Amino acid sequence: MPALSRETPEGADLRAELLERFGRGLTPDWTEREFNDLALRVFSFQYGAVPLYRRFCDGRALSPGRVTDWTEIPPVPTSAFKRYAFHSDLHAVERIFRTSGTTRGRDGRGEHHVADLQLYYASLLPNFSARVIPDTPEPAVVCLLPHPDLAPDSSLSWMMHRVAADVRRQGGGFFLDPDRGLDVRALEAELSRLAAEGGAVVVAGTAFAFVSWLEESPSWEVDLPSGSVVMETGGFKGRTREVSRADLQAALSRRLGLATDRIIGEYGMTELLSQYYEPIRDVVAGQRVYRGPPWLRARVLDPATLSAANEGETGILAHFDLANLFSVSAVLTEDLGIAINGGFRLLGRSAEAEPRGCSLAVEEIARHARTADNHAAGDRT
Amino acid sequence: MNHRPDAAGGFRTWSLGEDLEESTWHTSGGVARLDPTAADVDRWLRGVENARSGAVLDVDRRIRCLGRIGEVFGDPQSDASRRALTLLPKNAGLSPEMAALVLERMASTWTPDALARLWDQHFLDSARVNGGSRQEPAGVSVLSPQLHIGPGSVPGVTLTSALRGLLLGAAVLSKPGAGDTVLTVMGREILERECPELAARWAVAHWPGSVDTVSTALHRAAALVVYGDNRTVDAYRAAAPASARVVEYGHKASAAVVGVSMADEASAAALAGAVAAYDRRGCVSPQVVYVVGGPGSGGSALWGRVVEWGGRVAGELAHLQARLPAGPQEVGTVARTLQTVGDLEMRAAAGEAVRVWVDPASAWCVLANGTGETLVVPQGRSVQIRPAETLDDAAEGLRSWGSRLQSVGLAVEGAQRPHAAARLKTAGALRVTTLEEMPWPPAWWRHDGAGGLEPLLVAPSDHWVNVR
């Protein structure tokens, strides 16, 4: 069996360095040069360790020797994760996370082959602690998500399970069954119990799950203790019903007895091991902007030039996540955002613009003959 | 200014505001946004039909009057053409250069000569042969009034459609799509100046939304001419009363077949021009091109030629981008394009028989596709080129498109053309033409295989049934 990439000197050094740096937490922030140096080293490693990615870069005539800035590193489109596996060591993959595939069915699900869950864990915890619960050290964690035992390919479930294991006091849990839906009775009983107990609570779920809950028991309410936080993620992609974010926040505020500035957004993707949040302290201060940890950077691309969009203008989101060391770090999404004050405001995925004119796309013709669609957009589970 | 129809049942055309940023104008196009009721539409149809009965205009007069629209638009010095060129890019989402080309080519199909040829192709009679005036066709009458529902973003199609009805002497209410309002409204304005009595039987109004809001007015129309996607066409067909004839022009797709011996610089330039026209929105611009190598030609040699020619086509599209740029793209479209292109590049990286050339700003894309399956390419100026060992292989590939196949551009050695055209006809092609002419059909073309005028006529012996 060949040596694992992470056991090579380059892979091992990078891994150790990243783990050490993630462990320092989010402060002080990294300089651009610090990030760039690490990003270029990670790119060099991935170029050598992930053959498909290397050939992709070669196709664009870009290689470590020709790239001097992390923004030049070729990003892999999220759609490619639906067809190909990107990893440095096939035999070392510890977990395969899959996108939800809500948009166009299960056949179009993207996969992230994760060869090092420890990097995932090391990345997520300091970020969550600093962005979501900086003033609430030991909350109970209540998830409108399936337990990872029921959804082993859900990166979100895995993440929240690790968070809960690390920060929770007794109580909380996972209240969504992939087959049977939300266990509303148990969820509400647990929230009532936690409210009576008095400690802060983190309530995490997808926007769609929250809406389902609100619809299923429209009049139920509770006053969660001070310091509690709602973390909403995921949007409504591919679902039958959508609610504006402001309406959802207002409804959750009434239901849980929290101010709307205790409701924050999380933006993560199956293809990334690090996450962005609307930091609770920013939100309380009146600013809703998504920010990542120092090892995750977003670019908002101008659609006309594909260079960085001007502050305040809508563009396409691309990410570079150093925690993706053993797959690919540069990922291009179909999500739109607006660069603001060092972070971005998330507009979500554009409903694909309607084809213009009377010309029927040939792929539509071909699609009639195929049930599988390899170009489904990826959601996170 | 825009004018609402007056309460007395008369109507006026919907004119364009010079300042498209005014909030009173529909943001996507520069035409007043209306929310008509079925009663409004009923009144407009009644209005044009009443005007039709008020004046008799013989065929030659109609041709001269209507042909003035083409003459005025075709005169680059005319105020109307200059104004159109200031409004059209924003309205249709085309670059100014492409808008100018579109106006030039479309105007050439609206001239008196073009309309006369359209008429004569259908009704050339002995009187005309003998130098007399054109006569109304014998034994048939025109369906009137007509409601024409134009496509969303192919400028000029709604006007072309209206001219056919008006040429036959019908009254017409045109509802252009949001991206086709400028030429329709301005065409109506030109006719108002040149021939008010003919203009009186033509109303133009754009309103957002579907057939639902106006469906109860459809009983007033003797014919519905509907362009658009299947959903639109289906909706109008379903809402149309049995007494109305529905003339459908649903979405189609076009292709090209190029003999490998013809895969050269000239055909690459011609193909690029056909792909770039209208930013490939028209159903007559090619999306797939088969390069036919000939029996025994399959394999790497043919694939090599496909790749070589694909590179040439890409080079031509790059040149065109410099002098005939693509229109602006919505950010969501670009996001999708980047995903699509990246996915194709990844296929190539994975060793599939794929080569892709793409504009740095996503304005165009060429895919050489030897995978044997149809792949997704971006919207807009994109085309995929596939190898086919024989013409039969290409024809069979196109046959699978079924009724959605529209035009096939053909570039093969001269002696092979008749056979190739016949083979493509049996594969379902509705039109076989040159690469150069693909996106620019003449006025007298048989759109979707039907005549331009026949569907709008009825013989006394015809049953009054809803005919698809």
Side-chain angles (χ1 to χ4, degrees):
Chain A
M1 184 176 290
L4 296 178
S5 294
R6 72 184 187 208
E7 293 171 351
T8 62
E10 189 182 14
D13 286 353
L14 275 168
R15 180 174 187 268
E17 184 169 349
L18 291 174
L19 288 172
E20 190 274 325
R21 297 199 66 143
F22 294 174
R24 291 187 216 165
L26 275 59
T27 53
D29 200 359
W30 299 5
T31 65
E32 179 66 22
R33 182 172 178 177
E34 281 180 293
F35 182 84
N36 195 54
D37 287 349
L38 264 171
L40 293 180
R41 287 171 57 201
V42 165
F43 173 51
S44 177
F45 171 74
Q46 292 172 347
Y47 181 87
V50 186
L52 178 58
Y53 184 52
R54 177 172 64 244
R55 291 194 295 271
F56 176 74
C57 295
D58 289 345
R60 293 189 179 186
L62 289 169
S63 60
R66 305 184 69 164
V67 169
T68 59
D69 190 278
W70 70 273
T71 59
E72 301 163 7
I73 296 171
V76 172
T78 50
S79 60
F81 285 82
K82 298 173 176 62
R83 175 177 293 272
Y84 303 106
F86 299 93
H87 48 69
S88 56
D89 300 293
L90 174 61
H91 51 286
V93 169
E94 296 179 354
R95 197 101 170 194
I96 299 175
F97 293 122
R98 294 183 175 86
T99 58
S100 63
T102 50
T103 305
R104 293 179 194 172
R106 298 177 68 87
D107 290 335
R109 297 176 67 178
E111 293 185 347
H112 189 180
H113 294 234
V114 179
D116 191 344
L117 286 168
Q118 195 176 345
L119 271 173
Y120 189 8
Y121 178 65
S123 168
L124 71 90
L125 196 65
N127 193 24
F128 187 90
S129 297
R131 304 299 202 198
V132 184
I133 51 170
D135 309 312
T136 317
E138 292 189 343
V141 178
V142 172
C143 296
L144 282 70
L145 299 166
H147 189 279
D149 288 346
L150 298 177
D153 59 1
S154 165
S155 65
L156 183 58
S157 289
W158 193 92
M159 170 184 132
M160 289 311 299
H161 187 252
R162 294 310 303 256
V163 165
D166 218 87
V167 305
R168 75 176 178 191
R169 65 174 192 269
Q170 290 295 310
F174 291 77
F175 295 90
L176 183 67
D177 185 295
D179 297 321
R180 287 178 289 189
L182 199 61
D183 188 345
V184 171
R185 184 173 297 180
L187 169 67
E188 293 174 353
E190 181 62 4
L191 286 171
S192 296
R193 190 188 72 76
L194 291 168
E197 190 176 280
V201 181
V202 171
V203 183
T206 64
F208 184 76
F210 281 127
V211 170
S212 297
W213 179 31
L214 291 164
E215 289 180 339
E216 210 162 319
S217 64
S219 59
W220 187 84
E221 290 182 359
V222 69
D223 282 328
L224 290 182
S226 168
S228 295
V229 180
V230 174
M231 188 195 93
E232 163 258 314
T233 186
F236 298 91
K237 297 181 283 284
R239 305 295 188 177
T240 55
R241 184 166 180 274
E242 296 193 5
V243 176
S244 79
R245 197 159 179 232
D247 288 347
L248 177 60
Q249 288 174 356
L252 288 173
S253 171
R254 285 192 298 274
R255 164 149 304 196
L256 299 172
L258 298 173
T260 54
D261 63 13
R262 303 300 300 178
I263 302 171
I264 66 164
E266 185 257 13
Y267 171 58
M269 305 168 60
T270 299
E271 296 87 346
L272 301 179
L273 296 184
S274 305
Q275 301 78 40
Y276 299 92
Y277 296 100
E278 293 173 325
I280 186 83
R281 287 175 174 162
D282 285 2
V283 174
V284 169
Q287 186 179 51
R288 285 192 177 274
V289 173
Y290 282 91
R291 300 187 192 284
W295 50 89
L296 170 64
R297 300 237 168 159
R299 300 182 70 213
V300 180
L301 304 177
D302 181 320
T305 64
L306 302 185
S307 58
N310 292 328
E311 184 99 349
E313 292 183 356
T314 299
I316 301 157
L317 288 174
H319 310 286
F320 198 97
D321 185 3
L322 294 172
N324 276 23
L325 175 63
F326 295 113
S327 53
V328 287
S329 288
V331 174
L332 177 67
T333 78
E334 209 172 335
D335 291 333
L336 307 183
I338 300 173
I340 292 178
N341 193 21
F344 61 89
R345 185 169 297 155
L346 182 65
L347 301 178
R349 189 170 306 146
S350 163
E352 185 182 349
E354 287 291 316
R356 308 188 72 179
C358 61
S359 175
L360 181 72
V362 163
E363 57 266 27
E364 285 294 322
I365 297 171
R367 201 171 285 147
H368 284 289
R370 291 199 305 259
T371 52
D373 179 2
N374 295 318
H375 293 263
D379 300 340
R380 183 182 187 218
T381 63
Chain B
M1 294 292 292
N2 62 315
H3 310 277
R4 282 199 73 86
D6 63 50
F11 61 91
R12 296 173 183 163
T13 185
W14 300 95
S15 304
L16 295 168
E18 295 297 347
D19 183 357
L20 295 178
E21 299 305 321
E22 285 289 327
S23 60
T24 51
W25 301 103
H26 194 276
T27 54
S28 66
V31 144
R33 178 191 174 97
L34 302 177
D35 291 302
T37 64
D40 290 328
V41 174
D42 183 84
R43 189 169 62 251
W44 297 338
L45 284 165
R46 232 180 325 124
V48 290
E49 186 64 10
N50 288 343
R52 174 178 174 246
S53 61
V56 175
L57 293 133
D58 63 36
V59 177
D60 288 311
R61 176 85 192 285
R62 296 202 297 267
I63 288 173
R64 284 197 303 276
C65 286
L66 295 170
R68 283 294 294 152
I69 295 173
E71 289 177 335
V72 172
F73 274 140
D75 175 4
Q77 302 307 313
S78 73
D79 290 343
S81 69
R82 286 203 290 245
R83 184 166 169 241
L85 289 178
T86 65
L87 297 171
L88 191 55
K90 184 168 185 176
N91 180 231
L94 298 172
S95 68
E97 294 85 349
M98 178 54 73
L101 178 62
V102 165
L103 183 61
E104 176 194 335
R105 297 301 297 254
M106 292 301 281
S108 71
T109 68
W110 302 330
T111 62
D113 284 348
L115 296 176
R117 186 161 174 186
L118 169 63
W119 180 276
D120 290 344
Q121 178 175 287
H122 290 78
F123 309 121
L124 189 60
D125 54 37
S126 56
R128 176 70 186 140
V129 170
N130 294 325
S133 59
R134 292 180 175 82
Q135 305 297 309
E136 302 289 353
V140 292
S141 57
V142 64
L143 293 162
S144 183
Q146 301 171 2
L147 174 59
H148 292 222
I149 310 297
S153 55
V154 187
V157 172
T158 316
L159 177 51
T160 294
S161 183
L163 291 180
R164 290 174 183 169
L166 294 164
L167 181 62
L168 286 168
V172 175
L173 170 60
S174 295
K175 175 189 183 270
D180 190 18
T181 50
V182 164
L183 296 181
T184 318
V185 170
M186 289 192 65
R188 171 65 175 72
E189 288 177 347
I190 293 168
L191 192 63
E192 175 77 33
R193 286 195 297 273
E194 301 286 337
C195 187
E197 62 271 40
L198 188 51
R201 37 176 100 163
W202 182 21
V204 180
H206 167 73
W207 63 87
S210 66
V211 66
D212 299 339
T213 53
V214 301
S215 59
T216 57
L218 299 183
H219 71 93
R220 181 72 62 184
L224 292 172
V225 182
V226 186
Y227 296 78
D229 58 27
N230 289 343
R231 195 172 47 185
T232 301
V233 171
D234 289 348
Y236 274 95
R237 188 195 314 118
S243 57
R245 179 176 295 175
V246 181
V247 183
E248 304 173 4
Y249 298 105
H251 281 185
K252 302 279 187 185
S254 291
V257 172
V258 176
V260 70
S261 64
M262 304 289 281
D264 54 17
E265 290 287 350
S267 59
L271 177 66
V275 170
Y278 285 100
D279 294 347
R280 210 208 64 183
R281 292 182 208 159
C283 58
V284 288
S285 287
Q287 299 191 46
V288 174
V289 181
Y290 286 99
V291 173
V292 178
S297 66
S300 59
L302 178 58
W303 173 241
R305 291 300 308 276
V306 166
V307 170
E308 179 194 359
W309 193 60
R312 289 184 175 183
V313 174
E316 294 296 337
L317 280 169
H319 288 143
L320 277 178
Q321 181 62 15
R323 66 178 175 83
L324 201 61
Q329 299 185 77
E330 295 173 14
V331 62
T333 303
V334 176
R336 186 92 277 267
T337 292
L338 294 176
Q339 292 290 316
T340 303
V341 169
D343 199 50
L344 294 170
E345 292 177 307
M346 201 61 75
R347 283 177 181 268
E352 294 188 43
V354 164
R355 280 289 304 273
V356 58
W357 298 262
V358 63
D359 175 59
S362 303
W364 55 263
C365 175
V366 176
L367 168 69
N369 174 11
T371 66
E373 61 176 313
T374 301
L375 298 180
V376 177
V377 295
Q379 289 185 39
R381 296 183 177 187
S382 298
V383 65
Q384 60 183 297
I385 304 169
R386 303 177 60 173
E389 186 171 328
T390 67
L391 177 66
D392 281 345
D393 292 338
E396 283 307 303
L398 294 174
R399 182 193 292 280
S400 69
W401 296 17
S403 61
R404 299 178 185 87
L405 179 60
Q406 162 58 262
S407 296
V408 178
L410 184 61
V412 295
E413 300 287 352
Q416 299 170 4
R417 284 188 66 84
H419 166 70
R423 183 68 185 87
L424 293 168
K425 172 179 174 288
T426 62
L430 300 173
R431 171 175 170 248
V432 179
T433 185
T434 63
L435 295 176
E436 291 85 349
E437 291 300 317
M438 281 194 78
W440 312 110
W444 49 92
W445 82 304
R446 293 190 170 274
H447 191 170
D448 289 357
L453 301 180
E454 289 104 325
L456 304 175
L457 297 169
V458 61
S461 59
D462 285 356
H463 294 289
W464 281 88
V465 295
N466 184 10
V467 178
R468 280 196 54 195

